[in-house]
Amino acid sequence: MSTRLKALNAYRHGLRATRIAFQNDTEVLSAARAKMRSGMVNPPNPKLTEEEQIKHLEDVAVFLKRNLVQGKKVNDGNKKEPRYHLNIHKDTELGDNETTADPTARVKTNLKARPFKCSDKKQ
């Protein structure tokens, strides 16, 4: 398969993933698709090879489909705690409690959490 055809397929997968992840939110859907389109025209990291860029786009599409869940605040009468309706679909990756409880099963990342400060809390 040619590189151009692989790139078009990855782009299509990305568009489908945005449709799944951002359904019923046209503003965010349009922004995500515009960002994807601009990334196809002007790749964000020109140092990567074409194959690496295609792989990155495929990875983004998989992440959008499996790991992104949108929530909508639901007005639930006089309750003090806000409630949210989550858009969980058939492709959403649901974890289990075993991986959370077992510290050896956790995936190590390079992200470092900053300490929580009282001033961070909204009042």
Side-chain angles (χ1 to χ4, degrees), residues 7-40:
L8 287 173
N9 282 336
Y11 183 63
R12 267 190 234 114
H13 293 155
L15 291 177
R16 287 184 190 128
T18 59
R19 185 185 69 225
I20 291 169
F22 303 120
Q23 72 182 40
N24 300 328
D25 192 347
T26 54
E27 186 177 334
V28 175
L29 177 64
S30 298
R33 288 184 170 190
K35 182 74 172 173
M36 193 174 297
R37 190 177 315 112
S38 71
M40 289 294 287

Side-chain angles (χ1 to χ4, degrees), residues 29-92:
L29 177 64
S30 298
R33 288 184 170 190
K35 182 74 172 173
M36 193 174 297
R37 190 177 315 112
S38 71
M40 289 294 287
V41 174
N42 298 317
N45 191 351
K47 294 179 183 177
L48 296 178
T49 65
E50 288 178 351
E51 292 293 325
E52 291 171 329
Q53 290 174 0
I54 291 169
K55 173 77 170 109
H56 178 71
L57 183 54
E58 289 285 359
D59 291 344
V60 167
V62 168
F63 179 83
L64 286 173
K65 276 190 350 187
R66 292 185 184 168
N67 299 103
L68 193 78
V69 176
Q70 284 194 309
K72 183 177 181 181
K73 193 172 185 178
V74 178
N75 188 1
D76 200 18
N78 295 331
K79 294 190 177 184
K80 293 180 181 179
E81 295 291 323
R83 291 183 161 229
Y84 295 89
H85 176 268
L86 299 178
N87 183 22
I88 297 175
H89 47 81
K90 67 178 180 74
D91 294 320
T92 302

Side-chain angles (χ1 to χ4, degrees), residues 98-114:
E98 289 179 22
T99 57
T100 331
D102 182 11
T104 60
R106 293 187 182 167
V107 178
K108 294 182 181 178
T109 63
N110 293 332
L111 300 176
K112 294 181 181 176
R114 66 181 180 88

